[in-house]
Amino acid sequence: MIKLMLKITMLSSVFISLSTLASDGFYFKYLNEKIVAYSDKINFCDDTKVTPVFSKVELASLKKIVSKKAPVLSYLSIKSYNECLQPERSELAELLLSYNYVDVSLYTKKLAISTGKLIFIRDFEGLQLYKTLNNKDKNFIDSIGGFKKPFNELEVFEIIMGM
Protein backbone atom coordinates (compact mmCIF):
# COMPACT_ATOMS: atom_id res chain seq x y z
CA MET A 1 0.00 0.00 0.00
CA ILE A 2 2.79 2.42 0.92
CA LYS A 3 4.57 1.41 -2.26
CA LEU A 4 1.54 2.31 -4.41
CA MET A 5 0.99 5.64 -2.63
CA LEU A 6 4.67 6.49 -3.01
CA LYS A 7 4.50 5.77 -6.76
CA ILE A 8 1.46 8.03 -7.06
CA THR A 9 3.33 10.75 -5.19
CA MET A 10 6.31 10.31 -7.48
CA LEU A 11 4.11 10.56 -10.59
CA SER A 12 2.43 13.69 -9.30
CA SER A 13 5.83 15.17 -8.51
CA VAL A 14 6.87 14.71 -12.13
CA PHE A 15 3.81 16.63 -13.36
CA ILE A 16 4.26 19.39 -10.81
CA SER A 17 7.96 19.64 -11.61
CA LEU A 18 7.31 21.24 -14.97
CA SER A 19 5.88 24.34 -13.37
CA THR A 20 8.13 24.50 -10.34
CA LEU A 21 11.55 23.85 -11.79
CA ALA A 22 11.79 27.43 -12.91
CA SER A 23 11.03 28.85 -9.47
CA ASP A 24 12.79 26.53 -7.00
CA GLY A 25 14.25 23.79 -9.16
CA PHE A 26 17.03 22.80 -6.79
CA TYR A 27 14.74 22.14 -3.81
CA PHE A 28 12.14 20.29 -5.84
CA LYS A 29 14.71 18.26 -7.76
CA TYR A 30 16.58 17.31 -4.59
CA LEU A 31 13.35 16.23 -2.86
CA ASN A 32 12.36 14.25 -5.94
CA GLU A 33 15.77 12.51 -5.97
CA LYS A 34 15.36 11.52 -2.31
CA ILE A 35 11.85 10.19 -2.97
CA VAL A 36 13.15 8.11 -5.88
CA ALA A 37 16.03 6.77 -3.76
CA TYR A 38 13.55 5.88 -1.01
CA SER A 39 11.29 4.17 -3.52
CA ASP A 40 14.23 2.14 -4.83
CA LYS A 41 15.08 1.14 -1.26
CA ILE A 42 11.46 0.02 -0.73
CA ASN A 43 11.82 -2.27 -3.75
CA PHE A 44 15.08 -3.62 -2.34
CA CYS A 45 13.54 -4.30 1.08
CA ASP A 46 10.51 -5.95 -0.52
CA ASP A 47 12.86 -8.24 -2.43
CA THR A 48 14.76 -9.18 0.73
CA LYS A 49 11.73 -10.26 2.78
CA VAL A 50 12.29 -13.60 4.46
CA THR A 51 10.08 -16.20 6.06
CA PRO A 52 11.62 -16.92 9.45
CA VAL A 53 12.10 -20.54 10.45
CA PHE A 54 11.21 -21.17 14.07
CA SER A 55 12.02 -24.08 16.33
CA LYS A 56 9.16 -25.90 18.06
CA VAL A 57 10.04 -24.19 21.33
CA GLU A 58 10.05 -20.77 19.66
CA LEU A 59 6.71 -21.48 17.98
CA ALA A 60 5.11 -22.50 21.26
CA SER A 61 6.34 -19.38 23.04
CA LEU A 62 5.46 -17.09 20.14
CA LYS A 63 1.97 -18.58 19.93
CA LYS A 64 1.33 -17.65 23.58
CA ILE A 65 2.55 -14.10 23.02
CA VAL A 66 0.89 -13.51 19.63
CA SER A 67 -2.45 -14.99 20.68
CA LYS A 68 -2.66 -12.36 23.44
CA LYS A 69 -0.98 -9.45 21.66
CA ALA A 70 -1.11 -10.00 17.88
CA PRO A 71 -0.21 -6.36 16.96
CA VAL A 72 3.26 -7.00 18.41
CA LEU A 73 3.97 -8.98 15.25
CA SER A 74 2.99 -5.98 13.14
CA TYR A 75 5.30 -3.78 15.19
CA LEU A 76 8.20 -6.20 14.68
CA SER A 77 7.53 -6.32 10.94
CA ILE A 78 7.47 -2.53 10.64
CA LYS A 79 10.57 -2.20 12.80
CA SER A 80 12.58 -4.65 10.69
CA TYR A 81 11.34 -3.02 7.49
CA ASN A 82 12.26 0.47 8.70
CA GLU A 83 15.73 -0.74 9.64
CA CYS A 84 16.14 -2.12 6.12
CA LEU A 85 15.11 1.28 4.70
CA GLN A 86 18.09 3.01 6.31
CA PRO A 87 19.81 5.36 5.56
CA GLU A 88 17.38 6.54 2.85
CA ARG A 89 14.45 6.77 5.31
CA SER A 90 16.40 8.98 7.73
CA GLU A 91 17.72 11.19 4.93
CA LEU A 92 14.22 11.71 3.55
CA ALA A 93 12.82 12.45 7.02
CA GLU A 94 15.55 15.02 7.66
CA LEU A 95 14.92 16.68 4.32
CA LEU A 96 11.14 16.81 4.85
CA LEU A 97 11.64 18.41 8.25
CA SER A 98 14.13 20.94 6.93
CA TYR A 99 11.75 22.07 4.20
CA ASN A 100 9.56 23.58 6.93
CA TYR A 101 12.32 26.15 7.43
CA VAL A 102 13.36 26.82 3.84
CA ASP A 103 11.66 29.23 1.48
CA VAL A 104 10.37 26.84 -1.19
CA SER A 105 7.48 27.09 -3.61
CA LEU A 106 4.01 26.01 -2.59
CA TYR A 107 4.24 23.01 -4.92
CA THR A 108 7.46 21.78 -3.32
CA LYS A 109 6.04 22.33 0.15
CA LYS A 110 2.89 20.37 -0.77
CA LEU A 111 4.99 17.52 -2.14
CA ALA A 112 7.03 17.47 1.06
CA ILE A 113 3.91 17.46 3.25
CA SER A 114 2.10 14.76 1.27
CA THR A 115 5.23 12.58 1.15
CA GLY A 116 5.66 12.91 4.90
CA LYS A 117 2.04 11.95 5.51
CA LEU A 118 2.35 8.88 3.28
CA ILE A 119 5.61 7.64 4.70
CA PHE A 120 5.71 8.63 8.34
CA ILE A 121 2.19 8.07 9.66
CA ARG A 122 2.44 5.41 12.33
CA ASP A 123 0.12 3.16 14.27
CA PHE A 124 1.38 2.95 17.83
CA GLU A 125 -0.79 0.02 18.98
CA GLY A 126 1.87 -2.60 18.21
CA LEU A 127 4.63 -0.57 19.87
CA GLN A 128 2.44 0.06 22.89
CA LEU A 129 1.72 -3.67 23.27
CA TYR A 130 5.39 -4.55 22.72
CA LYS A 131 6.32 -2.17 25.55
CA THR A 132 3.85 -3.96 27.85
CA LEU A 133 5.55 -7.34 27.36
CA ASN A 134 7.57 -8.55 30.30
CA ASN A 135 11.35 -8.45 29.91
CA LYS A 136 11.58 -12.21 29.41
CA ASP A 137 9.20 -12.12 26.44
CA LYS A 138 10.85 -9.00 24.97
CA ASN A 139 14.32 -10.53 25.25
CA PHE A 140 13.02 -13.76 23.72
CA ILE A 141 11.44 -11.97 20.76
CA ASP A 142 14.47 -9.73 20.29
CA SER A 143 16.74 -12.79 20.19
CA ILE A 144 14.95 -14.32 17.19
CA GLY A 145 17.07 -13.61 14.13
CA GLY A 146 14.14 -13.99 11.74
CA PHE A 147 12.60 -10.81 13.11
CA LYS A 148 15.69 -8.75 12.21
CA LYS A 149 15.01 -8.84 8.45
CA PRO A 150 11.84 -7.71 6.69
CA PHE A 151 9.12 -10.35 6.77
CA ASN A 152 5.50 -10.78 5.79
CA GLU A 153 3.63 -10.48 9.07
CA LEU A 154 0.49 -12.28 7.88
CA GLU A 155 2.49 -15.25 6.66
CA VAL A 156 4.44 -15.38 9.93
CA PHE A 157 1.21 -15.05 11.92
CA GLU A 158 -0.22 -18.07 10.07
CA ILE A 159 2.95 -20.06 10.76
CA ILE A 160 2.93 -19.20 14.45
CA MET A 161 -0.76 -19.93 14.87
CA GLY A 162 -0.46 -23.19 12.90
CA MET A 163 -2.87 -22.20 10.16
Side-chain angles (χ1 to χ4, degrees):
M1 183 68 164
I2 291 175
K3 195 173 179 179
L4 176 63
M5 292 188 296
L6 191 57
K7 285 183 181 183
I8 292 169
T9 301
M10 286 175 48
L11 287 174
S12 67
S13 72
V14 171
F15 293 119
I16 295 171
S17 68
L18 298 175
S19 63
T20 60
L21 282 176
S23 62
D24 70 344
F26 170 79
Y27 296 111
F28 187 87
K29 184 178 177 188
Y30 190 63
L31 176 57
N32 209 35
E33 288 171 2
K34 290 298 180 183
I35 291 170
V36 169
Y38 186 74
S39 179
D40 291 343
K41 192 65 175 253
I42 287 172
N43 290 331
F44 170 81
C45 292
D46 284 343
D47 291 343
T48 62
K49 281 188 176 180
V50 297
T51 301
V53 178
F54 305 108
S55 69
K56 289 183 180 184
V57 172
E58 287 174 330
L59 279 174
S61 296
L62 286 169
K63 189 171 185 174
K64 288 178 188 175
I65 295 168
V66 170
S67 63
K68 293 177 190 172
K69 298 181 179 186
V72 166
L73 200 55
S74 176
Y75 163 73
L76 294 170
S77 175
I78 291 168
K79 180 181 173 190
S80 66
Y81 200 75
N82 285 341
E83 287 174 10
C84 179
L85 290 170
Q86 297 304 323
E88 289 81 358
R89 183 175 173 83
S90 294
E91 291 170 358
L92 183 56
E94 182 179 330
L95 182 62
L96 294 175
L97 286 172
S98 69
Y99 275 21
N100 289 324
Y101 305 100
V102 178
D103 187 24
V104 296
S105 74
L106 182 59
Y107 294 111
T108 301
K109 190 154 306 255
K110 283 183 178 181
L111 177 61
I113 291 168
S114 63
T115 301
K117 286 180 181 178
L118 288 173
I119 296 171
F120 296 106
I121 289 180
R122 184 147 183 193
D123 177 14
F124 288 99
E125 182 183 10
L127 172 61
Q128 190 174 24
L129 288 173
Y130 175 81
K131 294 287 188 184
T132 65
L133 292 174
N134 63 50
N135 284 336
K136 180 183 172 194
D137 288 344
K138 271 192 239 180
N139 290 336
F140 167 72
I141 287 173
D142 291 340
S143 73
I144 297 174
F147 289 145
K148 304 275 188 253
K149 294 183 179 179
F151 62 91
N152 182 319
E153 65 189 84
L154 294 176
E155 182 181 13
V156 171
F157 178 80
E158 289 175 351
I159 291 169
I160 293 170
M161 301 309 283
M163 300 175 155

